[in-house]
Amino acid sequence: MPLRGLAKAKNFTLGPTAPMKTFTENVHSQNNEINNLKKIDKTHNLTNNSQNEKLYKYESQIKSSFDRIVPTLKEIARIQHHEDFINTAQSISKQNLGINLPTHILDKSWVKPLDMRALYAWCAFKQHEKLSDNFFENDPLEGSFGSPNANNFETALLDCGIHLLDITPCSDGRLAHSVAYVMRIPFSAVRRRSHAGALFDIENTVNRWVKTEHKRYRENNPNEAHEDTRYLKIVTYHFSSVDPLHQGCAAHGSDDKLAAKEGSEKLLAFKEAVENSFCCGASVDLMLIGLDTDTDSLKIHLSSSDGKIDLENTISSLDIYNSTINFSKDEAEKEICQIISGNSNKVQLKGLDKFVYKLIVNNISQIDYVKKFHKGSYEDIGHAERFIGVGIGFKEVHLRNLTYFAHLDTVEEGAPDLDVGVKIFTGLNVSQDLPIPIVIRFDYSGKVPGAKERAAKDCYRVNNAISIRYKSLVDKGLLHTCLTIRDRDNIHSAQIIGMSLDQKTKEAH
Amino acid sequence: MPLRGLAKAKNFTLGPTAPMKTFTENVHSQNNEINNLKKIDKTHNLTNNSQNEKLYKYESQIKSSFDRIVPTLKEIARIQHHEDFINTAQSISKQNLGINLPTHILDKSWVKPLDMRALYAWCAFKQHEKLSDNFFENDPLEGSFGSPNANNFETALLDCGIHLLDITPCSDGRLAHSVAYVMRIPFSAVRRRSHAGALFDIENTVNRWVKTEHKRYRENNPNEAHEDTRYLKIVTYHFSSVDPLHQGCAAHGSDDKLAAKEGSEKLLAFKEAVENSFCCGASVDLMLIGLDTDTDSLKIHLSSSDGKIDLENTISSLDIYNSTINFSKDEAEKEICQIISGNSNKVQLKGLDKFVYKLIVNNISQIDYVKKFHKGSYEDIGHAERFIGVGIGFKEVHLRNLTYFAHLDTVEEGAPDLDVGVKIFTGLNVSQDLPIPIVIRFDYSGKVPGAKERAAKDCYRVNNAISIRYKSLVDKGLLHTCLTIRDRDNIHSAQIIGMSLDQKTKEAH
């Protein structure tokens, strides 16, 4: 279904940062303080403020648990030669970070300087473990499988003519919150596969398409195969409105146009692969979205009725936000419908138009989130990830700049993605003499005999390949790994099956 | 469907080599020459003698094309300082092997000893290229997709209640002819995935099952999804009747019982994976077969109606051959039916019983093939492969001891299989100062945009991983690689996209 709002939308000028800059400048101006405070407080009438509060509480709680690691370890470093060091260190750690430190590392402080790199990696792994446990046990983002949010969203998706939503954002940590925050989609209702440059694997995605269709034929799940719905593949590339020439997508040399073009080419190749490989009108729907990593606003590319993706013309959620900021809820909804479909009647929205409407309304909340909690534009416009996630899984990670993803089965195939991650962390951590914490994860299906053992074997295999590829970092204690597996058929949390920190202990005995 | 012949079959004692040894001894005895000649000539009444003649012609033609390499290169080595060396060498090679030698290697003979290792690898690669071209262009085994043989077999398979036949033999080169020779199955009518120890990948096979079922639902191909047929997974492990303790399966330490047990466990795990992961009575059929690599006879394990595989009791094609050698065609057919199903009426055979009947009759021809052309038991009872095949594909290889397969996507995952191959060739070739020729292959679907380029990239990636893993061999010129890709949607042959031999040339210029 084409987005027919082009005629109306094309006169929008995105002026990437203009509205935000004006806003930020106003905030800092001393002259119109009262007026500005009103502006700060003013949110869009479509914004879900209570959801924003919850999301911010979650974000700040998790991030501070990582950001307290360095000050805590500094405090512990200072007392390493004090009496009763181990007990004091443990109680500081427990109080500040809520975790115990590994005794076998603290134990050695009398004979050699405390291995702060090992402690740093340990703390990062344990904070990740806590966030992961909390995620799977308490569903803090209220988006788990079977939750009311997930069920409602899945029904709404079907109503938009979509039976599977498959999103590939860039591996970049600044897009790790795309699903739960930027698009406000329950995490369990979407397939997410992050790749550097958002350049997903065609063969793998065709396999996923086959599995999805087979489930419809065999189990009528989520709907019957003959119903006229589609598999929707979305590519989310990214750009920076604040520093477009340096803080865009590294995989595309910060060239927005190239990122959009290559994303579009991948999408069309996927569609062609499905159409050529299967009979009986097999096809998929496609969507290309640009994400501004500074404001979290979206540029949704228009597609024509013949299936082409328009690289120039987009619907900008930020433009819509700005132009409707003073509208009532009802007026704003009508205006968005008008822009998308050329018709202001919400009831008449159909198919992908309806889905785009949903995305824009959801994203308006996120624009206000960034305005309210991050001064309209993130302070960390560049990379600031806390750890690298390698393997298959990580359903629990939904925060901006928390994790650099390298979605891979083998280091042999995924090395280009992983190299980018290691390069980023060489700047972030190694330059400060801190190690790169890498969490390895392989999800498995507990229903399949031996799958758990194979997932563990995959972890060890990837760990071994990492230790060969980045030997010089590993040898200096500047790269540590934590091996985890998780049963995807179960609500249970992930399980740590080993750490590079453990192995050293064993060797020492 | 259970094999109900157990009661009748269990008293068979396989006495692994007794009949064959007697036969061989007889052949060499001078006293009963006439009598023995009769025995030599006598074939089973169910044997397809004209097919045997064709198959032998093909086997001897291809194998001799490889076996002429060493004598030819010896001849060329002797004349490397003669006048007009290059032209003479080319004409010897053309005459003996039907190929040209690489001029850039011959060219250097005046300045350093001729690089015989490089020439050997070149010849192996070119002979493989010829066999491959011939295979795809002329269908010498008369089993290509759409051929009368393949169509008839597929119809017969459906009649046995099987809509896909998926066989995993061991990677061992002594099983590479399992499909086209030992079982006499048209190669295009079967999915073959060789793995060391016949230990196939469960997740990968479940994916293949999903694809197969999806095709039935979507395209009614090969039959409608509601029809009561199954996906049949066969594991073919192997043993040696001549030297059971040394020439069995290396992956199982030449322990037949262990090979059978582990094969059975994989099969049952695959079935459980399908049954647990999919609803609505999803399941598969299983079959465990032991292959005697000396006589090519089969031991087909009985399965019970509750889906268990009997590790002790088997139907032995060699026992059947021996006990029915003097029977008429009709009597022999009745006896086989009786053994399989407890009923001598062929028309009443159903399902897997019918398939087992077909396998045994086909295998009787192969037992006669080995009797007639290989003195009842192969001379090369151990390894004698000519090259290693690595990657995804090799539909063209159907000869015993021609190729060691390492079926893999990445060296990182497939290293255990590949290491076994390199070890075998260290004994076969490196010990004689000859290099290990490795043909890398990635099949791709020409219908999928960019798939060809990705297959080429996969070749280079695996080539690079091989050159890292086996660096010391590569550095000495004791391991060479030939990179090939092939469009599986097309009848065309494979295409060589590079060789380690080429790369050296480039560096030299």
Side-chain angles (χ1 to χ4, degrees):
Chain A
M1 270 152 267
L3 300 174
R4 288 176 303 274
L6 175 57
K8 303 237 166 196
K10 71 179 176 186
N11 289 325
F12 278 8
T13 50
L14 182 61
T17 57
M20 287 297 107
K21 273 202 174 155
T22 309
F23 170 80
T24 312
E25 284 159 9
N26 281 344
V27 174
H28 294 124
S29 151
Q30 300 298 312
N31 297 332
N32 295 304
E33 207 171 303
I34 298 164
N35 192 25
N36 285 337
L37 277 177
K38 273 188 196 160
K39 283 198 180 177
I40 291 170
D41 288 342
K42 174 155 186 55
T43 57
H44 198 286
N45 278 318
L46 288 174
T47 290
N48 185 336
N49 288 306
S50 69
Q51 189 185 41
N52 276 0
E53 294 289 340
K54 276 190 204 167
L55 289 174
Y56 181 64
K57 197 176 152 197
Y58 180 70
E59 183 186 23
S60 43
Q61 173 205 330
I62 301 293
K63 285 202 173 160
S64 75
S65 76
F66 282 88
D67 297 343
R68 284 193 307 267
I69 294 174
V70 166
T72 302
L73 292 182
K74 280 184 180 170
E75 194 178 337
I76 289 171
R78 280 195 298 271
I79 60 161
Q80 62 185 290
H81 297 297
H82 289 200
E83 209 182 313
D84 201 24
F85 162 64
I86 294 182
N87 286 330
T88 316
Q90 293 289 26
S91 69
I92 292 171
S93 171
K94 198 82 196 156
Q95 191 177 345
N96 290 5
L97 305 173
I99 58 174
N100 282 317
L101 297 174
T103 316
H104 68 270
I105 291 172
L106 298 180
D107 251 353
K108 290 184 193 156
S109 67
W110 69 273
V111 70
K112 61 173 192 173
L114 203 49
D115 185 349
M116 300 311 302
R117 290 175 182 173
L119 289 181
Y120 177 88
W122 169 273
C123 292
F125 294 148
K126 291 307 254 184
Q127 296 300 49
H128 166 257
E129 186 185 29
K130 273 203 303 179
L131 108 80
S132 177
D133 288 349
N134 174 46
F135 187 86
F136 292 112
E137 283 161 22
N138 304 318
D139 192 19
L141 296 177
E142 299 173 350
S144 67
F145 182 75
S147 65
N149 280 344
N151 288 345
N152 292 341
F153 184 80
E154 280 173 8
T155 308
L157 260 189
L158 283 174
D159 191 39
C160 297
I162 303 164
H163 58 255
L164 192 94
L165 181 57
D166 176 340
I167 302 183
T168 290
C170 183
S171 307
D172 193 310
R174 292 171 297 170
L175 278 81
H177 66 321
S178 300
V179 169
Y181 281 70
V182 178
M183 300 183 185
R184 305 282 165 113
I185 295 175
F187 73 92
S188 67
V190 61
R191 177 190 190 234
R192 177 179 62 168
R193 284 287 179 280
S194 304
H195 287 282
L199 300 176
F200 63 93
D201 182 290
I202 304 264
E203 278 77 8
N204 181 297
T205 312
V206 170
N207 281 346
R208 177 58 198 235
W209 177 84
V210 170
K211 282 185 188 175
T212 304
E213 300 308 304
H214 178 238
K215 212 167 180 180
R216 294 174 72 215
Y217 278 110
R218 175 173 286 275
E219 308 182 4
N220 296 329
N221 183 354
N223 63 351
E224 290 182 26
H226 66 80
E227 283 184 37
D228 184 23
T229 57
R230 294 281 189 90
Y231 182 114
L232 174 62
K233 178 77 197 175
I234 297 182
V235 156
T236 311
Y237 69 93
H238 61 105
F239 59 93
S240 164
S241 55
V242 171
D243 188 1
L245 296 180
H246 303 102
Q247 298 295 350
C249 180
H252 295 105
S254 281
D255 180 339
D256 311 355
K257 289 199 170 174
L258 184 65
K261 184 171 161 279
E262 295 201 349
S264 157
E265 282 167 3
K266 272 278 176 197
L267 285 169
L268 293 172
F270 168 54
K271 186 175 186 175
E272 203 181 323
V274 169
E275 290 177 351
N276 292 357
S277 305
F278 302 90
C279 79
C280 324
S283 191
V284 292
D285 277 336
L286 308 176
M287 192 176 286
L288 180 66
I289 300 181
L291 190 159
D292 175 2
T293 52
D294 301 318
T295 64
D296 279 351
S297 63
L298 301 176
K299 292 206 283 187
I300 301 172
H301 286 258
L302 304 169
S303 15
S304 57
S305 52
D306 61 351
K308 291 204 178 120
I309 294 168
D310 191 326
L311 293 178
E312 293 297 327
N313 297 297
T314 59
I315 295 180
S316 156
S317 64
L318 188 57
D319 284 344
I320 291 178
Y321 178 96
N322 286 330
S323 67
T324 59
I325 180 72
N326 293 316
F327 286 24
S328 71
K329 189 166 176 285
D330 188 52
E331 283 168 348
E333 287 182 351
K334 282 186 177 158
E335 176 65 12
I336 298 171
C337 290
Q338 181 71 35
I339 288 168
I340 292 172
S341 68
N343 181 330
S344 64
N345 189 344
K346 194 173 146 188
V347 182
Q348 291 187 13
L349 277 182
K350 294 263 178 297
L352 283 192
D353 284 0
K354 201 165 180 172
F355 179 69
V356 169
Y357 172 84
K358 206 167 172 58
L359 271 190
I360 287 176
V361 170
N362 288 358
N363 187 243
I364 282 173
S365 287
Q366 183 66 9
I367 293 173
D368 265 332
Y369 180 91
V370 179
K371 274 177 79 171
K372 181 163 182 183
F373 302 114
H374 297 282
K375 301 181 189 165
S377 172
Y378 288 104
E379 277 189 61
D380 50 346
I381 64 166
H383 287 282
E385 290 95 340
R386 274 68 170 182
F387 65 91
I388 296 179
V390 171
I392 307 290
F394 292 107
K395 270 221 179 303
E396 71 272 28
V397 176
H398 292 281
L399 290 177
R400 184 180 182 278
N401 250 340
L402 182 68
T403 314
Y404 176 91
F405 282 121
H407 177 88
L408 54 81
D409 282 302
T410 64
V411 173
E412 187 179 321
E413 293 163 301
D417 279 21
L418 190 51
D419 286 349
V420 172
V422 169
K423 195 179 160 199
I424 290 168
F425 273 80
T426 302
L428 291 174
N429 288 20
V430 176
S431 67
Q432 301 188 54
D433 270 314
L434 290 174
I436 306 174
I438 297 187
V439 179
I440 300 171
R441 162 72 51 81
F442 279 92
D443 280 5
Y444 63 91
S445 169
K447 293 173 186 166
V448 175
K452 184 177 179 179
E453 291 71 27
R454 286 191 289 279
K457 231 170 130 183
D458 288 337
C459 280
Y460 293 121
R461 173 178 48 72
V462 163
N463 188 46
N464 183 48
I466 287 175
S467 70
I468 293 171
R469 189 167 183 92
Y470 308 105
K471 190 173 182 302
S472 65
L473 287 170
V474 171
D475 287 349
K476 290 178 205 144
L478 284 170
L479 190 156
H480 279 291
T481 49
C482 175
L483 287 59
T484 68
I485 57 175
R486 186 177 164 264
D487 182 355
R488 70 163 70 93
D489 296 334
N490 207 305
I491 52 156
H492 290 315
S493 185
Q495 181 190 345
I496 295 180
I497 57 166
M499 280 191 203
S500 52
L501 300 155
D502 297 336
Q503 289 164 345
K504 283 192 183 168
T505 320
K506 275 182 199 161
E507 287 165 12
H509 282 289
Chain B
M1 270 152 268
L3 299 175
R4 290 174 301 275
L6 176 55
K8 303 238 165 194
K10 69 181 175 189
N11 290 326
F12 279 9
T13 50
L14 182 60
T17 57
M20 287 298 109
K21 270 200 176 154
T22 309
F23 170 79
T24 313
E25 284 158 9
N26 282 345
V27 173
H28 294 124
S29 153
Q30 300 298 315
N31 296 333
N32 295 303
E33 204 169 306
I34 297 162
N35 193 26
N36 285 337
L37 276 176
K38 273 189 197 159
K39 283 200 181 175
I40 289 171
D41 287 341
K42 173 151 185 63
T43 57
H44 198 286
N45 280 317
L46 288 174
T47 289
N48 185 337
N49 288 307
S50 68
Q51 189 185 41
N52 276 1
E53 294 291 340
K54 273 191 206 169
L55 289 174
Y56 180 63
K57 197 176 150 200
Y58 180 70
E59 184 187 23
S60 43
Q61 172 206 331
I62 300 292
K63 284 202 173 159
S64 75
S65 77
F66 282 88
D67 297 343
R68 285 194 306 268
I69 294 174
V70 166
T72 302
L73 291 182
K74 280 184 181 170
E75 194 179 337
I76 288 171
R78 281 196 296 273
I79 58 161
Q80 62 186 292
H81 297 298
H82 290 201
E83 208 183 313
D84 201 24
F85 162 64
I86 294 182
N87 286 330
T88 317
Q90 293 289 25
S91 70
I92 292 170
S93 170
K94 199 78 195 161
Q95 190 177 344
N96 290 5
L97 305 173
I99 57 173
N100 282 318
L101 296 174
T103 315
H104 67 270
I105 292 173
L106 298 180
D107 250 351
K108 291 184 192 154
S109 67
W110 70 274
V111 69
K112 61 171 192 176
L114 203 48
D115 185 348
M116 301 310 302
R117 291 174 181 172
L119 289 181
Y120 177 87
W122 169 272
C123 292
F125 295 148
K126 291 309 254 187
Q127 296 301 49
H128 166 257
E129 186 186 29
K130 272 203 302 180
L131 108 81
S132 176
D133 288 350
N134 175 45
F135 187 85
F136 292 111
E137 283 160 21
N138 305 318
D139 192 19
L141 296 177
E142 299 172 352
S144 67
F145 183 75
S147 65
N149 280 344
N151 288 345
N152 292 340
F153 184 81
E154 280 173 9
T155 307
L157 260 189
L158 282 173
D159 191 39
C160 297
I162 302 164
H163 59 255
L164 192 95
L165 180 57
D166 175 341
I167 302 183
T168 289
C170 183
S171 307
D172 193 310
R174 292 170 297 170
L175 279 82
H177 66 320
S178 300
V179 169
Y181 281 71
V182 178
M183 302 184 183
R184 305 278 165 119
I185 294 175
F187 74 92
S188 66
V190 60
R191 177 189 190 234
R192 177 178 61 168
R193 283 287 179 279
S194 304
H195 287 283
L199 301 175
F200 62 93
D201 182 289
I202 305 263
E203 278 77 8
N204 182 295
T205 312
V206 170
N207 282 346
R208 177 57 199 235
W209 177 84
V210 169
K211 281 185 190 175
T212 304
E213 300 309 304
H214 177 240
K215 211 166 178 179
R216 295 175 72 215
Y217 278 110
R218 175 175 288 276
E219 307 182 4
N220 297 328
N221 182 354
N223 65 350
E224 290 181 26
H226 67 81
E227 283 184 36
D228 185 23
T229 57
R230 293 281 190 90
Y231 182 114
L232 174 62
K233 178 77 198 175
I234 297 182
V235 156
T236 311
Y237 69 93
H238 61 106
F239 59 94
S240 164
S241 55
V242 171
D243 189 0
L245 296 180
H246 303 103
Q247 297 296 350
C249 181
H252 297 106
S254 281
D255 180 340
D256 311 354
K257 290 201 169 174
L258 185 65
K261 184 171 161 280
E262 294 202 350
S264 155
E265 282 168 4
K266 272 279 175 193
L267 285 170
L268 293 171
F270 168 54
K271 186 176 185 175
E272 202 180 326
V274 169
E275 290 177 352
N276 291 358
S277 305
F278 302 91
C279 79
C280 325
S283 191
V284 292
D285 276 337
L286 307 177
M287 190 174 286
L288 180 66
I289 300 181
L291 190 158
D292 175 3
T293 51
D294 302 318
T295 65
D296 280 351
S297 63
L298 300 176
K299 293 206 281 186
I300 301 171
H301 286 259
L302 304 168
S303 18
S304 57
S305 52
D306 61 351
K308 286 198 182 128
I309 294 168
D310 192 325
L311 293 179
E312 293 298 327
N313 296 298
T314 59
I315 296 181
S316 156
S317 64
L318 187 58
D319 285 345
I320 290 177
Y321 178 95
N322 286 330
S323 67
T324 59
I325 179 74
N326 293 315
F327 286 23
S328 70
K329 188 166 176 286
D330 188 51
E331 285 168 348
E333 287 182 349
K334 280 186 179 158
E335 176 64 12
I336 298 171
C337 289
Q338 182 71 33
I339 288 168
I340 292 172
S341 69
N343 182 329
S344 65
N345 188 344
K346 194 174 147 189
V347 181
Q348 289 186 15
L349 277 181
K350 294 262 179 296
L352 283 191
D353 284 359
K354 201 165 182 171
F355 179 68
V356 168
Y357 172 84
K358 205 168 173 57
L359 270 189
I360 288 176
V361 171
N362 288 359
N363 187 242
I364 282 173
S365 286
Q366 182 67 8
I367 293 173
D368 266 332
Y369 180 91
V370 178
K371 274 178 79 172
K372 180 160 184 186
F373 302 114
H374 297 282
K375 302 180 189 164
S377 173
Y378 288 104
E379 279 189 61
D380 50 344
I381 65 166
H383 287 282
E385 291 94 339
R386 275 69 171 181
F387 65 93
I388 297 180
V390 170
I392 307 292
F394 292 106
K395 271 223 180 300
E396 71 272 29
V397 175
H398 293 281
L399 290 177
R400 184 180 184 277
N401 250 342
L402 182 68
T403 314
Y404 176 90
F405 281 121
H407 177 90
L408 54 79
D409 282 304
T410 64
V411 173
E412 186 178 322
E413 291 162 301
D417 280 19
L418 189 53
D419 285 349
V420 171
V422 168
K423 196 179 160 198
I424 290 168
F425 272 81
T426 302
L428 291 174
N429 288 20
V430 176
S431 67
Q432 301 188 54
D433 271 314
L434 290 174
I436 306 174
I438 297 186
V439 179
I440 300 171
R441 163 73 50 81
F442 280 91
D443 280 4
Y444 63 91
S445 169
K447 293 173 186 165
V448 174
K452 183 176 179 180
E453 291 70 26
R454 286 191 291 278
K457 231 170 130 181
D458 288 338
C459 279
Y460 293 120
R461 173 178 49 70
V462 163
N463 187 46
N464 182 49
I466 286 175
S467 68
I468 293 170
R469 190 167 185 92
Y470 307 106
K471 189 174 183 303
S472 66
L473 288 170
V474 171
D475 286 349
K476 290 178 206 143
L478 283 170
L479 190 157
H480 278 290
T481 48
C482 175
L483 288 60
T484 68
I485 57 174
R486 186 178 163 262
D487 181 355
R488 73 163 68 93
D489 297 335
N490 207 305
I491 51 155
H492 290 317
S493 183
Q495 179 190 344
I496 295 180
I497 57 165
M499 279 191 202
S500 53
L501 299 155
D502 296 334
Q503 289 164 346
K504 282 192 182 169
T505 321
K506 275 183 198 159
E507 284 165 16
H509 281 289

